[in-house]
């Protein structure tokens, strides 16, 4: 029970805040409940396919293969694969984190995981195609280049500002969550 409360304390606090909001202002509380319901439905429609793909990735792709193509020493090849997988993905950003966890379990380099998350959030292929048709080539290409520069800078800064012990702890947590 103590572990349950500790693990879900943020969720429990938010449930209490929502109940308090509903009691204090029923109209605002109803809007909050509608938003929570909508988000929950979206979550249920996105996560099952992602977890099926994660299971297949975990079973079908050996750790050695992931380390060879995206691990330490993978160089530009690992960066490009990270960008491609992140850009080809569909769904909200929270769908990237379980996949990032599996990448860490498989020994993918920390910087490549960060680049993958950045690519998932800003360089999706369908979004780029929409921008091309709706906003023009100049805007779409400029935004893509600026986003890529930002992704590389952020990944580099996070990598350099995170100690080896912190990275090891993140990887240990990812392995623990995916086992």
């Amino acid at each position: 029970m103590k572990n349950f409360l500790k693990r879900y304390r943020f969720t429990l606090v938010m449930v209490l805040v929502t109940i308090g909001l509903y009691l204090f202002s029923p109209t605002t509380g109803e809007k909050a409940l509608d938003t929570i319901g909508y988000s929950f439905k979206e979550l249920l429609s996105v996560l099952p396919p992602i977890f099926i793909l994660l299971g297949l990735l975990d079973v079908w792709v050996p750790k050695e293969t992931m380390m060879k193509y995206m691990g330490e020493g993978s160089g530009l090849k690992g960066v490009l694969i990270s960008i491609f997988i992140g850009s080809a993905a569909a769904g909200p950003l929270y769908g990237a984190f379980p996949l990032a966890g599996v990448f860490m379990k498989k020994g993918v380099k920390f910087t490549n995981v960060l680049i993958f998350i950045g690519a998932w959030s800003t360089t999706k292929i369908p979004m780029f195609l929409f921008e091309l048709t709706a906003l023009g080539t100049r805007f779409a290409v400029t935004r893509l280049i600026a986003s890529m520069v930002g992704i590389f800078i952020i990944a580099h800064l996070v990598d350099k500002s995170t100690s080896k012990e912190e990275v090891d702890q993140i990887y240990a947590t990812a392995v623990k969550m995916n086992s």
Side-chain angles (χ1 to χ4, degrees), residues 70 78-93 95-96 99-100 103 112-127 144 148 151:
M70 296 177 73
V79 170
L80 293 175
I81 292 172
S82 299
I83 291 170
F84 175 76
I85 294 173
S87 298
L93 182 59
L99 191 54
F103 282 174
N112 289 341
V113 173
L114 298 172
I115 290 171
F116 159 75
I117 292 172
W120 183 300
S121 68
T122 58
T123 63
K124 290 183 180 163
I125 293 170
M127 183 171 67
L144 182 66
M148 294 305 298
I151 289 168

Side-chain angles (χ1 to χ4, degrees), residues 2 18 48 52 60 100 105 126 129 137:
K2 186 177 177 182
T18 304
I52 290 171
W60 288 350
K105 180 183 172 187
L129 295 175
T137 304

Side-chain angles (χ1 to χ4, degrees), residues 27-138:
T27 305
T28 306
E30 285 181 24
K31 287 181 183 177
L33 288 175
D34 287 343
T35 301
I36 291 169
Y38 176 79
S39 297
F40 191 69
K41 287 178 190 171
E42 181 182 277
L43 187 79
L44 288 178
S45 69
V46 169
L47 285 183
I50 289 174
F51 281 112
I52 290 171
L53 291 175
L54 286 177
L56 295 174
L57 175 70
D58 200 22
V59 173
W60 288 350
V61 181
K63 184 175 182 174
E64 296 76 23
T65 303
M66 291 295 288
M67 289 179 70
K68 177 181 174 186
Y69 291 107
M70 296 177 73
E72 293 291 335
S74 61
L76 183 61
K77 179 175 39 181
V79 170
L80 293 175
I81 292 172
S82 299
I83 291 170
F84 175 76
I85 294 173
S87 298
L93 182 59
Y94 57 77
F97 295 113
L99 191 54
V102 171
F103 282 174
M104 289 179 169
K105 180 183 172 187
K106 297 276 187 177
V108 171
K109 184 179 174 183
F110 187 59
T111 306
N112 289 341
V113 173
L114 298 172
I115 290 171
F116 159 75
I117 292 172
W120 183 300
S121 68
T122 58
T123 63
K124 290 183 180 163
I125 293 170
M127 183 171 67
F128 179 70
L129 295 175
F130 173 78
E131 288 175 353
L132 276 175
T133 58
L135 302 171
T137 304
R138 184 175 177 183

